[in-house]
């Protein structure tokens, strides 16, 4: 059974810092990995999706990398802003592609 | 266009009551998913529909949980005789196509992105 772990569970940084969120998964036979953002009381917003054939994806100040062999992905946020404060979740699909297995999330707070 | 909507946004139930949670997927989306998210945890899969057919209900925690999508659009998640451990946020997601893996036959060989609704926060007292 696929297990997804995110470290750290919570992170507080001053505005302007670059930071890295970590995601690890036990079954490396994935065909993509997705990073989501969740604001309090809101649903999930997709940030980046990395196909298994890719090593990284970039969107603005966000960069996500994927290393299937080691079962790891990282989300890099450059020049963090208070508006980046949210919970960040990574998820991988199962073999049938009909469900996502999520990590526990990293709660990020960026202080002005 | 409109995204996935869910109602009610908040529901408080007394233990033992039955509740019904509604999900309106994006129009035309074939696949619909329900997830349960406990406080401070990531979402966990409950069930999956392809049009009106419930193809996977392996994540439903007990027979008190029942989901339906009779006309292949709106879906309802029903929880009978609610218990305190049912307190969670229930998320609904939809995707345009049926899930396929790269290299297999199907409508799309790429990942079919799931679009999530805002969730229903259920509190059982």
């Amino acid at each position: 059974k696929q297990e997804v772990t995110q470290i750290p569970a919570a992170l507080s940084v001053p505005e302007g810092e670059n930071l890295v969120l970590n995601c690890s998964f036990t079954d490396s036979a994935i065909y993509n990995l997705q990073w989501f953002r969740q604001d309090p009381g809101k649903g999930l917003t997709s940030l980046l999706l990395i196909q298994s054939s890719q090593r990284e994806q970039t969107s603005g100040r966000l960069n996500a990398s994927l290393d299937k062999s080691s079962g790891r992905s990282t989300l890099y946020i450059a020049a963090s802003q208070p508006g980046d404060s949210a919970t960040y979740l990574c998820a991988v699909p199962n073999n049938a592609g009909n469900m996502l297995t999520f990590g526990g999330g990293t709660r990020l707070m960026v202080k002005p | 266009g409109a995204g996935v909507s869910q109602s009610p946004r908040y529901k408080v139930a007394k233990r033992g009551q039955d509740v019904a949670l509604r999900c309106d997927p994006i129009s035309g989306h074939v696949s619909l998913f329900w997830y349960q998210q406990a406080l401070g945890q990531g979402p966990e899969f409950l069930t999956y529909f392809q049009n009106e057919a419930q193809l996977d209900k392996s994540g439903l925690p007990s027979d008190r949980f029942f989901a339906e999508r009779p006309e292949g659009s709106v879906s309802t998640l029903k929880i009978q005789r609610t218990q305190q451990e049912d307190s969670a946020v229930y998320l609904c997601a939809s995707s345009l196509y049926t899930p396929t893996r790269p290299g297999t036959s199907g409508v799309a060989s790429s990942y079919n992105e799931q679009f999530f609704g805002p969730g229903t926060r259920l509190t059982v007292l």
Side-chain angles (χ1 to χ4, degrees), chain A residues 39-93:
Chain A
D39 293 281
K42 300 289 181 62
L44 305 180
T45 300
S46 179
L47 296 174
L48 291 165
L49 186 151
I50 314 174
Q51 300 288 357
S52 61
S53 58
Q54 300 173 317
R55 292 194 63 84
E56 64 178 56
Q57 279 280 355
T58 297
S59 176
R61 293 181 295 107
L62 305 180
N63 177 278
S65 66
L66 174 63
D67 185 344
K68 280 185 58 178
S69 61
S70 66
R72 294 179 181 177
S73 176
T74 61
L75 179 66
Y76 176 83
I77 302 177
S80 58
Q81 303 171 357
D84 295 331
S85 298
T87 295
Y88 292 81
L89 295 151
C90 65
V92 295

Side-chain angles (χ1 to χ4, degrees), chain B residues 10-123:
Chain B
Y10 304 92
K11 176 69 178 178
V12 179
K14 293 182 178 179
R15 189 173 56 184
Q17 281 187 331
D18 297 347
V19 298
L21 312 180
R22 177 188 170 108
C23 172
D24 286 78
I26 295 173
S27 178
H29 276 199
V30 170
S31 297
L32 185 145
F33 310 81
W34 283 98
Y35 292 84
Q36 179 190 58
Q37 186 175 24
L39 186 64
Q41 305 292 319
E44 292 190 355
F45 172 80
L46 292 177
T47 186
Y48 155 66
F49 289 85
Q50 179 181 316
N51 295 308
E52 70 279 2
Q54 188 175 21
L55 299 186
D56 189 339
K57 54 181 181 179
S58 61
L60 296 177
S62 76
D63 57 7
R64 296 186 294 104
F65 287 70
F66 172 76
E68 60 183 4
R69 193 186 185 199
E71 298 180 356
S73 55
V74 172
S75 177
T76 303
L77 176 66
K78 298 179 179 179
I79 308 173
Q80 297 176 326
R81 306 181 302 281
T82 52
Q83 303 295 315
Q84 286 186 324
E85 61 263 29
D86 300 335
S87 296
V89 174
Y90 291 85
L91 294 166
C92 175
S94 69
S95 67
L96 181 59
Y97 294 119
T98 58
T100 58
R101 293 198 62 188
T104 64
S105 60
V107 177
S109 61
S110 60
Y111 174 72
N112 300 294
E113 184 176 5
Q114 294 183 24
F115 296 86
F116 283 80
T120 294
R121 180 176 297 278
L122 172 65
T123 302

